[in-house]
Amino acid sequence: MKYTVDGSLCTGHGRCYTVAPELYRPDDEGYNLLRDDAVEVPPGAEASARRGARSCPERAIGLDG
Ligand code: F3S
């Protein structure tokens, strides 16, 4: 599974890294650190990836795989 944060949609709500800090991280301004790149989800972290994606009010996090 991979996730991609759409940098044009992320407005820094911060819910992703609040509900799934083991996977998502903030940058210095509170946006999701890794934007506009497909990021591999480590084995076992799929539930965290989904939880974070569901939490985003902007629907900025897409999952594939
Ligand atoms: Fe951005 Fe959504 Fe997280 S707006 S900081 S991806 S909750």
Side-chain angles (χ1 to χ4, degrees):
M1 174 189 278
K2 294 183 179 182
Y3 76 84
T4 305
V5 178
D6 185 329
S8 71
L9 294 177
C10 177
T11 55
H13 284 284
R15 294 191 192 173
C16 54
Y17 53 77
T18 299
V19 303
E22 60 281 18
L23 187 62
Y24 301 108
R25 301 254 188 282
D27 69 7
D28 289 343
E29 296 180 326
Y31 295 87
N32 193 302
L33 178 64
L34 302 176
R35 301 189 297 280
D36 297 323
D37 265 326
V39 180
E40 190 74 38
V41 175
E46 292 87 354
S48 297
R50 290 191 192 94
R51 189 165 59 246
R54 272 199 312 268
S55 76
C56 177
E58 307 297 338
R59 296 286 177 255
I61 303 175
L63 300 175
D64 87 62

